[in-house]
Amino acid sequence: DVKVTQSSRYLVKRTGEKVFLECVQDMDHENMFWYRQDPGLGLRLIYFSYDVKMKEKGDIPEGYSVSREKKERFSLILESASTNQTSMYLCASSRTGAASGQPQHFGDGTRLSIL
Amino acid sequence: AQSVTQLDSQVPVFEEAPVELRCNYSSSVSVYLFWYVQYPNQGLQLLLKYLSGSTLVKGINGFEAEFNKSQTSFHLRKPSVHISDTAEYFCAVSEGSNFGNEKLTFGTGTRLTIIP
């Protein structure tokens, strides 16, 4: 089974802090994704990566950046955390792109609170 | 651009009753369609997917969905629900012919509550 592991289930940070969310997958997948999930809004794509050191903006990249130095690891960075970034963050991976019909595999999520 | 509409944000159903969760999509090209389930405090898990072929797709836990191209719908059904089906369900679409587009677009979700 594919395993996508997010480093923290719950995280509390202060406004203005630099925040790192880590995600690791164990199936040698090329593609990795970061979403945020908010009630009534579903999942919104922040960034994705289709190869090491490659990244593409999703629908809501403002206030975030990402890093993919190794194939199995994809990090989401909040450069200066703000209260409107309080949310559930979900990481996913897939063997190839959605355009080929491959499903995405999700981690259990990180519930981030910015105070 | 592709989009997904889940008309019902919440659906309460009595245990052992049938259920249908509605999903409509919008796309100018051929699509791949997915249903995911999210149990409390967990990530999303794939229920089923439609890529091509038979329009009736069977998934895990007794769920099935039917792709209807003329109505641009992909509704999820189960003939008899169980308490353990209480969860949030997400419909998602990708544009099959748009190679290089790695993105899935998700609906806003339907919270299914099973009443004992």
Side-chain angles (χ1 to χ4, degrees):
Chain A
D1 265 1
V2 177
K3 185 72 174 174
V4 178
T5 303
Q6 295 184 229
S7 54
S8 305
R9 291 299 303 273
Y10 301 94
L11 208 53
V12 180
K13 297 291 182 181
R14 296 209 173 272
T15 302
E17 279 193 73
K18 191 169 186 176
V19 181
F20 293 84
L21 302 183
E22 307 287 345
C23 176
V24 176
Q25 50 96 2
D26 66 355
M27 284 302 291
D28 202 37
H29 283 174
E30 289 83 5
N31 300 297
M32 297 189 74
F33 308 81
W34 275 107
Y35 296 89
R36 64 177 281 175
Q37 182 181 11
D38 300 288
L41 298 178
L43 276 72
R44 293 179 291 167
L45 182 65
I46 305 171
Y47 267 97
F48 67 100
S49 168
Y50 52 88
D51 201 353
V52 175
K53 298 192 185 293
M54 305 299 288
K55 60 184 180 183
E56 292 282 343
K57 291 180 179 178
D59 300 317
I60 52 164
E62 296 78 18
Y64 303 94
S65 63
V66 290
S67 172
R68 193 166 181 202
E69 296 295 320
K70 293 185 178 181
K71 192 174 186 179
E72 67 271 18
R73 186 180 296 273
F74 193 35
S75 302
L76 179 69
I77 304 155
L78 284 65
E79 297 291 345
S80 177
S82 63
T83 55
N84 63 11
Q85 292 178 309
T86 291
S87 185
M88 169 72 90
Y89 289 87
L90 291 167
C91 175
S93 72
S94 69
R95 185 152 58 86
T96 56
S100 64
Q102 291 293 322
Q104 293 182 12
H105 301 266
F106 286 80
D108 285 338
T110 295
R111 191 167 292 282
L112 175 64
S113 296
I114 307 297
L115 304 179
Chain B
Q2 61 205 34
S3 66
V4 178
T5 301
Q6 291 182 248
L7 292 168
D8 306 305
S9 59
Q10 296 187 61
V11 174
V13 180
F14 285 103
E15 195 173 12
E16 298 183 6
V19 68
E20 178 180 85
L21 306 183
R22 296 180 293 168
C23 172
N24 288 88
Y25 68 91
S26 172
S27 175
S28 58
V29 297
S30 62
V31 294
Y32 298 132
L33 294 155
F34 306 80
W35 274 100
Y36 285 83
V37 59
Q38 185 179 34
Y39 298 107
N41 298 315
Q42 294 185 25
L44 276 68
Q45 177 182 344
L46 182 69
L47 263 183
L48 49 79
K49 61 182 179 181
Y50 171 78
L51 304 183
S52 64
S54 172
T55 56
L56 185 62
V57 180
K58 294 189 183 299
I60 61 172
N61 300 339
F63 283 93
E64 63 181 32
E66 185 155 20
F67 171 59
N68 188 320
K69 188 174 181 180
S70 62
Q71 297 189 4
T72 60
S73 68
F74 190 55
H75 300 332
L76 181 70
R77 302 186 183 102
K78 187 170 182 177
S80 176
V81 296
H82 189 265
I83 288 287
S84 60
D85 293 323
T86 295
E88 190 150 21
Y89 292 79
F90 292 92
C91 182
V93 63
S94 71
E95 290 183 335
S97 64
N98 192 7
F99 293 104
N101 176 5
E102 312 296 335
K103 298 193 297 182
L104 274 179
T105 298
F106 285 86
T108 52
T110 298
R111 186 171 298 277
L112 176 63
T113 302
I114 309 302
I115 305 165

